[in-house]
């Protein structure tokens, strides 16, 4: 280039709140780093400093710093010398929901606005790949750019990144990554020269970017501005910010800048660490449980209770607690054990909080009463002779409702709905036990009763509503043990084979599937980031223990059976193959089929005693498949089936990625669908003349990072032992599968949402609490229903490749993520489009 090159030096620190040290240890380090930042700005040794694009670190600091230091920091934020925002945390993009990503940005911008002004930069320096819809999410918040590193190997460091709906952001790629503390060297001239040569090869303009800093690093002591000013040569070095760099580089970009469409998961340039999808899978299950509790039940139920009773602050703090588990070293399961124990504590606290908010909303609605002296319909210690079913979805529900009620007296009964219709419940289990209650105006106590685990079928349960059911005279049906070895409904006939797998007959087509649900374990000499088989691998296939047991009733049939795997206890001493000792790993499985339901529900209870191994469940697909489809944040992505797997990587390289991410479902070309919670890693593998879908259940490893993996040519973090990552213990996973070649992508997504968030039974009586909001298109998905300052907000999205027309009742105004009017407000969603609607005013329950 003829124009002299300018290198923008942005002083920054990348702040992992928790990783190879626990949160509080890193927070103390943050205090020291902030001391240096403030002193450098006060002395003029620094001109500006970027605080890693996330607000949680600043809030962490403000909680413990001295008041005078907070005042200084606030002053520098006001002067735009400390640059803040836009995220709350730097989350992993594939392991959290799309709604969580939106709330993450919303929270970050809100908090930044309290202290000053956020930078308008889509800062994504270290996430392990990028979801396809990120450009649409950024544009929804008025951010038209992104800065990123992993997941792509472009030929240029500037390009346009386009989401599936056509939203586009200008993107700056970091060819050498964000970890570049070059100015911390005493004589950085040579390092700077080498760096410029490397990044200039990618540049399309005269503007270059140096992200000076790294993980938990402070700028060195000394006059860094003076040092920059003394740098002489062919390149002009300037102290800068990301916004200033973006403004300058965008002023020069060529008209034919490359365009990249969709998600970024390539590791040709740098590691994407793909097996974090399955590291500590129990964390993934817990996170999705909490996302579902928050967006699926708590916010919609509180929305029904009305604006005056909506716990805005309580829910905001709950979102913070959830989001603090979402950073890429946290939810990915790639930190020390202490970190992940703290994550489980946050989850425990959040579960308590959300349950309490739900009870509070039911109190505001008059469904329950925590006091004897209150006005609610159900008083403390009253049994569930009357109970409520909550349908949180903005569409009517037809299907099976499951849950538990307790009655003071054991008796036979039927259920009667609000219209007088009788339902015969199916009792799956019953037990005597104690109900505990603690009224607000009386002593806590226990009350004896009988607890019934039941299921019953309903039709057209109103959208976003509470419906009352009463226990009345009659007889229920109990599920009973059967001598028959086959379970079936109108769609399938299923039997257990001697090898511990399932044979399934599709009744409509006559097609038979064999070898379903084979469990197998292989050795894993990897770490929390990457699977890596040892040179002498061993594969163990589960065998059947005893015989299967069936239980049957009208409409519901169950098959239960046990498997065992006699596996090596772990790796041998040099990690090249199996240990001589063996252990027994068991799997207890319950399979359930129901009338009028194509989904086959599965529960896996795994007692894992094996170290250094990967446990998977396998579903043969009956054919060779070229593609699969799985959901990520606001998208369903078509994925090439990568059946050729390599195991030996070159130095500083990973083997090509063969595992794929999934938030809640996987769909194959053959019409097979797999629904799950927390089982977010899968792979298509060859099995004789057909392919199979292999889903990872547990990956047992004992190291945060190692530098001797076959599949990754170098370390990915400190070489620290993490015994808890072996996942020794008992774990329960829930899933479902079905065969239905003609079901649309949208309806599969809807089925997955219902699997994750089914209607729920609550104690108490609901009166006059009908439909709050309804949409009339079964392909359109929803991700959020909540109260905002001026009404009810509903967020929907289109998972399909076609326009989707729908009606919203009551009608709402189309807005963007900042609740500003959307210029083209309409009730048609373009393919892969996300839309937010504001229904102004209240409702009849306020």
């Amino acid at each position: 280039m003829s124009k002299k090159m300018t290198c923008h030096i942005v002083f920054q620190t990348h702040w992992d709140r928790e990783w190879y040290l626990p949160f509080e240890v890193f927070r103390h380090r943050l205090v020291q780093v902030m001391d240096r930042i403030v002193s450098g700005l006060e002395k003029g040794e620094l001109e500006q400093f970027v605080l890693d694009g996330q607000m949680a670190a600043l809030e962490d600091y403000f909680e413990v710093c001295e008041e005078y230091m907070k005042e200084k920091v606030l002053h520098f934020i006001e002067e735009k010398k400390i640059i803040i925002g836009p995220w709350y945390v730097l989350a992993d993009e594939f392991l959290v929901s799309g709604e969580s990503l939106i709330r993450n940005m919303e929270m970050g911008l809100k908090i930044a606005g309290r202290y000053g002004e956020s930078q308008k930069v889509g800062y994504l320096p270290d996430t392990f790949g990028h979801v396809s819809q990120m450009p649409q999410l950024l544009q929804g918040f008025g951010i038209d750019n992104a800065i990123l590193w992993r997941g792509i190997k472009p030929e240029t460091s500037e390009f346009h990144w386009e989401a599936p709906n056509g939203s586009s952001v200008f993107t700056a790629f970091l060819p050498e990554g964000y970890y570049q503390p070059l100015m911390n060297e005493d004589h950085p001239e040579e390092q700077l020269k080498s760096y410029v040569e490397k990044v200039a090869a990618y540049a399309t303009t005269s503007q270059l970017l140096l992200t000076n800093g790294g993980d938990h690093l402070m700028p060195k002591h000394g006059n860094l501005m003076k040092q920059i000013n003394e740098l002489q040569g062919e390149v002009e070095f300037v102290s800068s910010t990301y916004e200033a760099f973006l403004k300058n580089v965008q002023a020069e970009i060529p008209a034919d800048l490359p365009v990249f469409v969709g998600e970024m998961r390539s590791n040709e340039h740098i590691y994407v660490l793909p097996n974090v999808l399955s590291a500590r899978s129990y964390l993934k299950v817990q996170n999705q449980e909490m996302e579902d509790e928050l967006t699926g039940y708590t916010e919609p139920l509180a929305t029904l209770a009305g604006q005056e009773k909506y716990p805005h602050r309580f829910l905001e703090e709950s979102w913070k607690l959830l989001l603090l588990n979402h950073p890429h070293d946290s939810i990915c399961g790639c930190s020390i054990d202490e970190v992940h124990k703290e994550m489980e504590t946050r989850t425990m606290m959040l579960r308590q909080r959300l349950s309490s908010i739900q009870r509070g909303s039911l109190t505001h609605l008059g469904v329950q009463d925590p006091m004897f002296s209150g006005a609610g319909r159900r008083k403390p210690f009253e049994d569930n002779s009357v109970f409520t079913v909550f349908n949180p979805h903005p569409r009517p529900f037809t299907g099976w409702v499951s849950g538990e009620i307790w009655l003071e007296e054991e008796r036979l009964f039927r259920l009667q709905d609000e219209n007088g219709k009788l339902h015969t419940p199916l009792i799956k289990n019953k037990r005597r036990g104690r109900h505990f209650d603690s009224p607000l105006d009386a002593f806590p106590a226990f009350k004896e009763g009988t607890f019934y685990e039941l299921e019953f079928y309903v039709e057209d349960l109103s959208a976003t509503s509470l419906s009352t059911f009463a226990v009345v005279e009659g007889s229920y049906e109990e599920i009973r043990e059967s001598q028959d070895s086959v379970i079936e409904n109108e769609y399938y006939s299923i039997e257990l084979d001697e090898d511990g797998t399932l044979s399934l007959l599709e009744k409509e087509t006559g097609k038979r599937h064999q070898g379903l649900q084979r469990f197998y374990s292989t050795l894993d000499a990897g770490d929390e980031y990457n699977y890596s088989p040892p040179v002498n691998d061993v594969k163990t296939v589960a065998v059947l223990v005893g015989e299967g047991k069936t239980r049957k009733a009208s409409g519901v049939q169950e098959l239960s059976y046990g498997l065992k795997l006699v596996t090596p206890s772990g790796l041998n001493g040099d990690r090249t193959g199996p240990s001589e000792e063996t252990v027994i790993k068991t799997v207890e499985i319950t399979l359930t089929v129901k009338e009028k339901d194509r989904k086959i529900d599965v529960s896996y209870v795994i007692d894992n005693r094996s170290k250094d191994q990967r446990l998977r469940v396998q579903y043969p697909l009956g054919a060779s498949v070229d593609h699969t489809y799985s959901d990520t944040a606001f998208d369903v992505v078509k994925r090439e089936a990568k059946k050729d797997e390599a195991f030996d990587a070159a130095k500083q390289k990973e083997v090509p990625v063969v595992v794929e991410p999934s938030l809640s479902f996987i769909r194959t070309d053959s019409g097979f669908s797999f629904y799950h919670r927390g089982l977010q890693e899968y792979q298509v593998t060859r099995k004789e003349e057909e392919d199979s879908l292999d889903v990872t259940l547990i990956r047992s490893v004992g190291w945060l990072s190692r530098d001797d993996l076959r599949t990754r040519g170098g370390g990915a973090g400190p070489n620290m032992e993490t015994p808890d990552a072996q996942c020794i213990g008992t774990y329960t996973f829930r899933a479902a599968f079905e065969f239905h070649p003609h079901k649309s992508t949208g309806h599969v997504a809807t089925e997955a949402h219902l699997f994750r968030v089914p209607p729920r039974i609550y104690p108490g009586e609901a009166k006059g609490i009908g439909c709050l909001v309804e949409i009339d298109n079964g392909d359109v998905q929803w991700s959020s229903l909540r109260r905002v300052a001026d009404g009810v907000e509903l967020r929907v999205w289109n998972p399909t490749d076609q326009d989707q027309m729908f009606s919203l009742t009551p009608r709402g105004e189309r807005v963007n993520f900042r609740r500003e009017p959307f210029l083209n407000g309409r009730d048609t969603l373009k393919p892969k489009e996300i839309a937010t609607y504001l229904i102004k005013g209240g409702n009849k329950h306020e």
Side-chain angles (χ1 to χ4, degrees), residues 380-631:
F381 303 110
E382 288 185 10
D383 69 10
N384 304 147
S385 297
V386 178
F387 63 86
T388 293
V389 175
F390 178 40
N391 174 21
H393 298 272
R395 54 171 59 92
F397 173 80
T398 294
W400 291 86
V401 173
S402 305
E404 186 177 72
I405 65 171
W406 75 278
L407 300 176
E408 191 171 354
E409 300 294 333
E410 182 174 352
R411 58 185 171 123
L412 296 173
F413 61 87
R414 295 182 77 188
L415 302 176
Q416 187 175 55
D417 65 22
E418 295 166 333
N419 299 316
K421 183 177 180 180
L422 293 174
H423 303 259
T424 300
L426 168 65
I427 306 302
K428 298 182 73 175
N429 292 291
K430 69 179 178 182
R431 59 182 173 84
R432 290 293 292 176
R434 297 191 301 169
H435 167 76
F436 178 75
D437 219 333
S438 179
L440 293 177
D441 56 357
F443 289 108
F446 290 94
K447 198 165 189 177
E448 289 288 332
T450 301
F451 292 78
Y452 299 86
E453 181 187 344
L454 52 77
E455 297 203 32
F456 59 100
Y457 191 82
V458 299
E459 294 178 331
D460 289 326
L461 211 62
S462 295
T464 52
S465 69
L466 295 170
S467 302
T468 298
F469 290 81
V471 172
V472 297
E473 288 187 14
S475 295
Y476 53 68
E477 184 179 2
E478 290 187 80
I479 192 166
R480 300 186 183 280
E481 287 194 16
S482 169
Q483 298 303 311
D484 192 354
S485 61
V486 176
I487 60 171
E488 59 186 331
N489 61 8
E490 64 266 48
Y491 305 111
Y492 314 110
S493 175
I494 305 171
E495 58 185 318
L496 178 64
D497 290 334
E498 292 182 357
D499 65 355
T501 66
L502 301 172
S503 290
L504 180 147
L505 173 67
E506 291 186 66
K507 291 184 175 180
E508 293 168 308
T509 64
K511 189 172 183 180
R512 181 172 291 277
H513 303 267
Q514 293 182 303
L516 294 172
Q517 217 158 261
R518 175 176 282 107
F519 288 77
Y520 70 94
S521 176
T522 55
L523 292 172
D524 190 344
D527 54 24
E528 292 182 317
Y529 297 102
N530 291 76
Y531 162 75
S532 184
V535 175
N536 301 309
D537 198 2
V538 171
K539 181 177 180 178
T540 306
V541 179
V543 296
L544 185 64
V545 178
E547 296 179 347
K549 295 180 180 180
T550 60
R551 298 201 305 166
K552 296 188 176 185
S554 300
V556 178
Q557 300 189 11
E558 286 182 351
L559 168 63
S560 299
Y561 60 100
L563 304 174
K564 73 174 183 180
L565 300 92
V566 181
T567 69
S569 63
L571 292 167
N572 58 16
D574 60 7
R575 300 177 65 83
T576 59
S579 61
E580 293 183 1
E581 303 82 18
T582 61
V583 294
I584 295 176
K585 174 169 18 190
T586 63
V587 186
E588 298 294 331
I589 300 160
T590 301
L591 206 72
T592 306
V593 294
K594 303 174 186 177
E595 285 184 1
K596 303 177 184 179
D597 190 350
R598 284 186 181 271
K599 291 194 315 302
I600 302 161
D601 289 309
V602 192
S603 167
Y604 319 111
V605 181
I606 300 163
D607 184 18
N608 180 44
R609 298 291 166 223
S610 309
K611 296 180 179 180
D612 309 316
Q613 300 188 35
R614 181 176 69 179
L615 177 67
R616 284 179 156 184
V617 61
Q618 187 174 65
Y619 291 89
L621 299 173
S624 177
V625 297
D626 296 324
H627 297 91
T628 60
Y629 305 81
S630 67
D631 60 330

Side-chain angles (χ1 to χ4, degrees), residues 289-307:
E289 286 175 347
M290 292 303 97
E291 287 181 325
D292 292 342
E293 283 296 321
L294 191 40
T295 61
Y297 297 110
T298 310
E299 286 184 332
L301 195 57
T303 299
L304 271 174
Q307 186 66 271

Side-chain angles (χ1 to χ4, degrees), residues 87 93 97-102 105 131-143 163 165 167 169 633-634 795 817 834:
W87 298 102
E93 296 174 37
S97 70
E99 189 62 34
S100 289
L101 292 172
I102 287 179
M105 177 72 78
V131 292
S132 59
Q133 291 282 30
M134 185 56 70
Q136 187 175 179
L137 300 185
L138 294 174
Q139 283 285 7
F141 285 105
I143 296 175
N165 77 315
S167 298
V169 293
F634 297 114
R795 186 149 28 249
F817 298 153
I834 310 163

Side-chain angles (χ1 to χ4, degrees), residues 67-361:
E67 192 62 33
Y68 75 91
M69 286 299 294
K70 181 177 180 179
E71 305 250 344
K72 289 183 178 183
V73 170
L74 288 173
H75 169 72
F76 286 128
I77 290 173
E78 184 179 359
E79 290 195 337
K80 297 187 178 179
K81 292 189 174 181
I82 291 180
I83 312 298
I84 59 174
W87 298 102
Y88 183 63
V89 298
L90 293 180
D92 183 82
E93 296 174 37
F94 287 99
L95 289 169
V96 306
S97 70
E99 189 62 34
S100 289
L101 292 172
I102 287 179
R103 302 301 183 92
N104 190 343
M105 177 72 78
E106 179 183 271
M107 187 78 68
L109 291 173
K110 181 177 181 178
I111 297 170
R114 291 176 190 158
Y115 301 131
E117 187 178 344
S118 172
Q119 61 176 340
K120 293 296 175 63
V121 178
Y123 192 53
L124 303 162
D126 195 29
T127 46
F128 306 154
H130 303 282
V131 292
S132 59
Q133 291 282 30
M134 185 56 70
Q136 187 175 179
L137 300 185
L138 294 174
Q139 283 285 7
F141 285 105
I143 296 175
D144 65 358
N145 62 77
I147 295 177
L148 52 82
W149 174 33
R150 300 186 193 268
I152 188 173
K153 186 184 181 183
E155 295 180 358
T156 62
S157 52
E158 295 83 39
F159 56 89
H160 295 296
W161 181 16
E162 195 173 286
N165 77 315
S167 298
S168 179
V169 293
F170 170 78
T171 302
F173 170 66
L174 303 172
E176 293 295 301
Y178 67 87
Y179 202 118
Q180 298 294 335
L182 304 187
M183 295 301 296
N184 281 14
E185 302 291 331
D186 289 334
H187 301 286
E189 291 81 7
E190 284 303 311
Q191 290 94 328
L192 286 170
K193 180 181 178 182
S194 174
Y195 176 83
V196 166
E197 287 176 354
K198 291 176 182 176
V199 299
Y202 290 85
T204 62
T205 74
S206 66
Q207 308 294 315
L208 307 177
L209 175 62
L210 169 63
T211 55
N212 193 90
D215 299 351
H216 316 105
L217 297 184
M218 66 169 68
K220 74 171 185 180
H221 285 282
N223 194 335
L224 292 162
M225 292 308 301
K226 181 173 181 291
Q227 195 171 2
I228 289 173
N229 293 334
E230 289 175 351
L231 291 170
Q232 300 295 329
E234 299 177 0
V235 177
E236 178 186 6
F237 292 93
V238 296
S239 175
S240 189
T241 65
Y242 293 129
E243 287 184 312
F245 162 73
L246 288 164
K247 181 179 178 180
N248 280 272
V249 73
Q250 284 180 278
E252 295 183 22
I253 56 173
D256 59 347
L257 205 61
V259 176
F260 186 92
V261 179
E263 72 179 18
M264 300 180 180
R265 296 190 68 242
S266 167
N267 60 359
E268 286 185 81
H269 184 81
I270 193 65
Y271 307 153
V272 294
L273 312 170
N275 299 107
V276 296
L277 293 171
S278 57
R280 302 181 192 254
S281 53
Y282 63 91
L283 294 176
K284 282 65 166 172
V285 174
Q286 292 173 11
N287 175 65
Q288 291 197 333
E289 286 175 347
M290 292 303 97
E291 287 181 325
D292 292 342
E293 283 296 321
L294 191 40
T295 61
Y297 297 110
T298 310
E299 286 184 332
L301 195 57
T303 299
L304 271 174
Q307 186 66 271
E308 291 301 314
K309 301 297 185 180
Y310 193 81
H312 293 276
R313 178 73 186 280
F314 217 155
L315 284 168
E316 180 176 293
E317 294 302 314
S318 299
W319 268 106
K320 285 184 182 179
L321 201 54
L322 175 67
L323 293 173
L324 289 177
N325 276 351
H326 286 182
H328 51 277
D329 294 305
S330 303
I331 189 59
C332 289
C334 54
S335 296
I336 59 171
D337 291 342
E338 193 171 343
V339 163
H340 299 302
K341 289 174 182 174
E342 290 183 23
M343 286 179 64
E344 290 197 87
T345 298
R346 289 187 205 117
T347 297
M348 179 178 66
M349 294 166 61
L350 186 57
R351 183 176 282 113
Q352 297 163 0
R353 182 178 292 185
L354 298 181
S355 175
S356 298
I357 294 173
Q358 289 172 33
R359 288 197 301 271
S361 296

